[in-house]
Amino acid sequence: MSGDDRTTSATDAGPVHVHGLGVNPLDGALFIATHTGLFRSGGGESTSARVGDSSQDTMGFTIVDADRFLGSGHPDLRTDLPPLLGLIESTDRGRSWEPIALLGEADFHVLRSAGEVVYGYDSSNDRLMVSGDAGRTWEEVERPAPLVDLAADPEDSQHVVAAGVSDISQGLYESRDGGRSWDRRGEQVGLLAWPAPGRLFLVDGGGNVFLSTDTGRRFGRRGTIGGQPAALLGQGADELFVALHDGTIKRSTDGGSTWTIRSTP
């Protein structure tokens, strides 16, 4: 990776408060979206380094294709951008970002892509939105509850599962029409990953890992991550990455039964 891809300094706070994870299909590098910017950990590396020199608070984050990232959140204070970034896009591995929609209007804390379909939960306005053209235009759809997370069926972009919590209830919800209507599936709440057909993973607030093979109707416990989760990513049927609140990234290659440290702050 060229020298202008990564910058470090003795005063750099490093990856603080991880919000999202992604793997670039071009080179397999792990990207870590945080309150203090975007960080990269290449294959064989046990630590991460800042991408570029921005410290933007990247809340929502997803990698949609090789070198093409989508994000949301709040700008680096050195810029004159509004406090809500809407949807932003990078086509150079996160070194630079351009607003593409809803600048100043949305703050997506949950951002998930399924081909050209993108789902975003705008926490600033408590609304679930969906785009059918890779984030250029958006439609507000029904949300079952204030969302904790959402995952899309890898075989059907209109089939999604969401975890939500309100003042009076919590649970797991399923939609087969792109979020326009929902059915409640159970009480469990947590971070979600749906990396392969029949492999819906949930990590609850205590770090317990569960797997459902029937889109959330029943879950079986797989293991524990040994801490409270901050972000979850699934890659293939059994490969998972999870971020802990101290910035440690763990990896499992057996569907969440056992975990090893992938990267440390």
Side-chain angles (χ1 to χ4, degrees), residues 27-58:
D27 59 4
L30 176 67
F31 285 80
I32 306 164
T34 80
H35 180 71
T36 51
L38 184 66
F39 293 78
R40 178 188 185 275
S41 180
E45 297 175 345
S46 59
T47 58
S48 61
R50 181 179 298 280
V51 178
D53 62 358
S54 174
S55 295
Q56 74 181 21
D57 182 2
T58 308

Side-chain angles (χ1 to χ4, degrees), residues 11 25 92 128 136 143 149 151 155 177 183 202 229 236:
T11 59
D92 58 5
L128 177 61
R136 267 62 186 175
R143 63 113 175 99
D149 206 354
E155 293 187 314
D177 56 7
D183 293 313
L202 182 149

Side-chain angles (χ1 to χ4, degrees), residues 155-171:
E155 293 187 314
D156 179 2
S157 63
Q158 298 300 302
H159 184 201
V160 292
V161 170
V165 176
S166 72
D167 292 337
I168 58 174
S169 67
Q170 67 176 41

Side-chain angles (χ1 to χ4, degrees), residues 19 34 56-61 71-76 82-88 103-104 106-109 111:
H19 299 309
T34 80
Q56 74 181 21
D57 182 2
T58 308
M59 299 294 298
F61 177 73
S72 189
H74 312 286
D76 187 312
L84 306 182
L85 288 175
L87 188 73
I88 54 176
L103 180 64
D107 173 20
F108 293 122
H109 282 204
L111 196 59

Side-chain angles (χ1 to χ4, degrees), residues 1-232:
M1 196 168 188
S2 62
D4 61 354
D5 286 333
R6 310 176 68 178
T7 60
T8 58
S9 74
T11 59
D12 195 323
V16 176
H17 299 308
V18 177
H19 299 309
L21 300 169
V23 171
N24 189 350
L26 185 71
D27 59 4
L30 176 67
F31 285 80
I32 306 164
T34 80
H35 180 71
T36 51
L38 184 66
F39 293 78
R40 178 188 185 275
S41 180
E45 297 175 345
S46 59
T47 58
S48 61
R50 181 179 298 280
V51 178
D53 62 358
S54 174
S55 295
Q56 74 181 21
D57 182 2
T58 308
M59 299 294 298
F61 177 73
T62 185
I63 294 180
V64 297
D65 205 348
D67 286 353
R68 182 166 173 254
F69 306 169
L70 296 179
S72 189
H74 312 286
D76 187 312
L77 295 178
R78 295 170 293 180
T79 72
D80 59 359
L81 291 169
L84 306 182
L85 288 175
L87 188 73
I88 54 176
E89 179 183 48
S90 174
T91 56
D92 58 5
R93 290 175 284 184
R95 293 193 298 274
S96 64
W97 296 85
E98 293 294 332
I100 61 172
L102 301 173
L103 180 64
E105 300 177 31
D107 173 20
F108 293 122
H109 282 204
V110 177
L111 196 59
R112 301 288 179 260
S113 63
E116 290 293 297
V117 177
V118 183
Y119 293 92
Y121 175 62
D122 173 18
S123 66
S124 62
N125 296 291
D126 186 22
R127 58 181 177 170
L128 177 61
M129 305 187 74
V130 62
S131 170
D133 56 6
R136 267 62 186 175
T137 60
W138 292 83
E139 171 192 1
E140 184 175 353
V141 294
E142 184 72 19
R143 63 113 175 99
L147 294 195
V148 173
D149 206 354
L150 179 146
D153 186 335
E155 293 187 314
D156 179 2
S157 63
Q158 298 300 302
H159 184 201
V160 292
V161 170
V165 176
S166 72
D167 292 337
I168 58 174
S169 67
Q170 67 176 41
L172 196 70
Y173 304 86
E174 181 183 26
S175 173
R176 292 185 175 272
D177 56 7
R180 290 159 183 83
S181 63
W182 296 87
D183 293 313
R184 186 181 174 87
R185 289 299 175 223
E187 297 287 336
Q188 285 186 284
V189 171
L191 300 182
L192 300 168
W194 200 344
R199 308 291 286 177
L200 176 63
F201 292 93
L202 182 149
V203 180
D204 69 15
N208 298 296
V209 183
F210 299 89
L211 170 65
S212 173
T213 59
D214 57 6
T215 67
R217 289 164 178 79
R218 294 178 299 273
F219 281 92
R221 188 177 183 276
R222 300 285 294 176
T224 179
I225 64 173
Q228 186 178 10
L232 177 66

